[in-house]
Amino acid sequence: MCPLVLYNRIVVFLGMEEKVLILDFGSQYTQLIARRVRELFIYCEIHPYNNPPADISPFKAVILSGSPFSVRAEDAPHPDLTEIRGKKPLLAVCYGAQYLAHFSGGKVSPSATREYGRANLSSITPKSDLFEGIEVGSQVWMSHSDTIKELPTNGKRLASTADVENAAYAIEGETTYAIQFHPEVYHSTDGKQLLENFLVHIAKVKQDWTPDSFVSMTVENLKTQVGDEKVILGLSGGVDSTVAAVLLHQAIGDQLTCIFVNNGLLRKDEFSSVLEQYHGMGLNVKGVDASKRFLDQLAGVSDPEKKRKIIGNTFIDVFDDESKKIEGATWLAQGTIYPDVIESISVNGPSATIKSHHNVGGLPDYMKLKIVEPLRMLFKDEVRRVGKSLGIDPELLGRHPFPGPGLAIRILGDITPEKVSMLQEVDAIYIQGLKDAGLYNDVWQAGAILLPVNSVGVMGDERTYEKCVALRAVTSTDGMTADWVNLPYEFLQKTSNDIINKVKGVNRVVYDISSKPPATIEWE
């Protein structure tokens, strides 16, 4: 068993040396860097550039992300690379490449035209370790308004495009590489190869980040972290909390009590069906109906951030009450995953907070429970692979994600029991329709949104002025990016008719065709 410490509530495994540090300067692509690194079976962590780990010695290599800032701006991010440059293998991407050039004897100037989109490598320095297996003509993705006119001291050009002379360079005497394009996006066709060249062949990082290794490591560390104390876990019926529960159960057995809270904002009949679903899994599950408590707290509240905070605080209050009924319970387990953490972080401009997650953040002083989050460093697709390694039912693992705050963030405006009931009926028709049409497994997440507008309609011979609902369906791997699903017109037509005919108070259905980015998956 390897010892562990808690740093900003993140479990850091001191015995795991094969990992990579990604310093975030606020690029919209930073999370994709982490995804690509994880796809190479290499563990990595994202940290804000201005709040790096206190000890970077466990990290085998470092990647600097891009940024919306210009290195020439007065408020541009200025990282302290004293313990990194020349001491760790370093790959600087876009802003990182320009930063190294600008502050190390090179020159960065505004581009004649903004360099954004596809480009092709027009030249590659022969025998370059970074570009091993990558040929001239390989497509890359540019996204910058500045360009490197002169290389830094000891800089050596490695690659160019037709418009960018210094598309990639190395610094002689160091294991430092820099590229002005983004290898992490799919548009860079050999981006994964470049990352593998840097991490595996240059930095010599082992590819040992697998579901089985995660399970064995996490189970052992949970035993150390929890000891002989008792844990309560908020079970939602979703993939994340289920995998977290099974991991904890393997580690501590009957010391775990799972509590499934009905916050009044679940899908139709979900409270009873989830409790039934876990029957026979060997988990100790207790159902708590706190729907009135949640809905009373939400009465009259329209602001989405306030809704999330209220739900999070009420959730904690309910667990505090329940924990007191379980003698010796000292830990609260949550199914927090890495996108939740990333989207809730703000680093003074870079990585601006997108939204608060109900299970991300500190607990109030009065609550005596400590937090344990077995999945905090995993992306959603990694959670599913871990679940498969644990032998969890594939049907459960294939279930669509559902937001922690539930229908509260799919009801735009204030929350009432009538609106919840209406949206539950709409959602049930939509989800069952996807299943009946054989489309459910082709969609990563689907849901219905109740809009705060009424529209004119005609039903029979009467004029109506009723609610509009939006349907959403996206494909994704981890929730960090998503594309809308081109559902068949016939399916949408039938679903619209079913909803309008069967759900009183709805007379219009629309379909959301926005991708993430720029939109988010949920509307709030």
Side-chain angles (χ1 to χ4, degrees), residues 353-523:
T353 300
I354 297 172
K355 57 190 175 184
S356 297
H357 288 263
H358 79 292
N359 58 348
V360 177
L363 294 175
D365 292 338
Y366 67 80
M367 191 171 182
K368 304 305 180 184
L369 294 178
K370 297 171 285 187
I371 291 289
V372 56
E373 297 169 318
L375 310 177
R376 187 178 175 89
M377 302 307 290
L378 295 186
F379 288 96
K380 175 68 78 172
D381 57 321
E382 293 176 315
V383 174
R384 286 198 169 99
R385 288 199 291 269
V386 168
K388 183 179 180 181
S389 177
L390 290 166
I392 296 174
D393 187 341
E395 184 176 343
L396 196 156
L397 292 176
R399 190 179 183 198
H400 289 181
F402 189 66
L407 298 181
I409 58 170
R410 293 182 178 175
I411 297 173
L412 276 60
D414 66 319
I415 310 295
T416 67
E418 293 75 21
K419 289 181 180 179
V420 173
S421 178
M422 182 184 297
L423 188 57
Q424 284 176 332
E425 294 297 329
V426 171
D427 180 82
I429 292 170
Y430 181 34
I431 298 301
Q432 189 58 50
L434 287 170
K435 293 178 178 178
D436 293 342
L439 296 169
Y440 185 83
N441 292 330
D442 296 331
V443 174
W444 189 78
Q445 182 172 341
I449 300 92
L450 182 63
L451 304 183
V453 294
N454 284 23
S455 68
V456 175
V458 177
M459 302 183 78
D461 294 325
E462 297 182 358
R463 175 184 183 275
T464 62
Y465 191 58
E466 295 179 335
K467 293 295 182 184
C468 173
V469 295
L471 305 182
R472 182 84 157 127
V474 299
T475 57
S476 182
T477 56
D478 49 42
M480 300 311 304
T481 60
D483 290 321
W484 63 278
V485 179
N486 190 5
L487 293 175
Y489 290 139
E490 295 80 6
F491 169 79
L492 292 173
Q493 181 182 35
K494 182 179 185 305
T495 302
S496 175
N497 288 340
D498 287 346
I499 290 171
I500 292 172
N501 290 334
K502 297 177 181 179
V503 183
K504 185 177 180 181
V506 177
N507 71 353
R508 190 177 299 272
V509 177
V510 298
Y511 187 57
D512 182 353
I513 59 170
S514 307
S515 295
K516 176 185 179 180
T520 54
I521 295 176
E522 300 294 343
W523 280 42

Side-chain angles (χ1 to χ4, degrees), residues 23-26 47-52 64-85 95-96 98-104 108 146 347-350:
L23 288 182
D24 177 25
F25 296 96
H47 287 258
Y49 79 93
N50 54 4
N51 189 21
L64 305 183
S65 84
S67 175
F69 287 90
S70 165
V71 295
R72 299 174 296 103
E74 291 184 4
D75 59 346
H78 293 282
D80 180 3
L81 302 179
T82 305
E83 299 300 318
I84 296 174
R85 189 171 165 186
Y95 176 90
Q98 294 173 0
Y99 179 87
L100 291 181
H102 185 68
F103 290 100
S104 301
V108 176
D146 290 340
V347 288
N348 190 28

Side-chain angles (χ1 to χ4, degrees), residues 4 6 11 220-227 229 331 371-372:
L4 54 84
L6 290 175
V11 178
E220 290 304 311
N221 280 281
L222 286 170
K223 291 177 180 178
T224 303
Q225 185 179 10
V226 174
E229 297 176 325
W331 292 87
I371 291 289
V372 56

Side-chain angles (χ1 to χ4, degrees), residues 40-58:
L40 293 170
F41 303 106
I42 294 173
Y43 179 73
C44 63
E45 294 178 9
I46 297 173
H47 287 258
Y49 79 93
N50 54 4
N51 189 21
D55 179 15
I56 67 166
S57 60

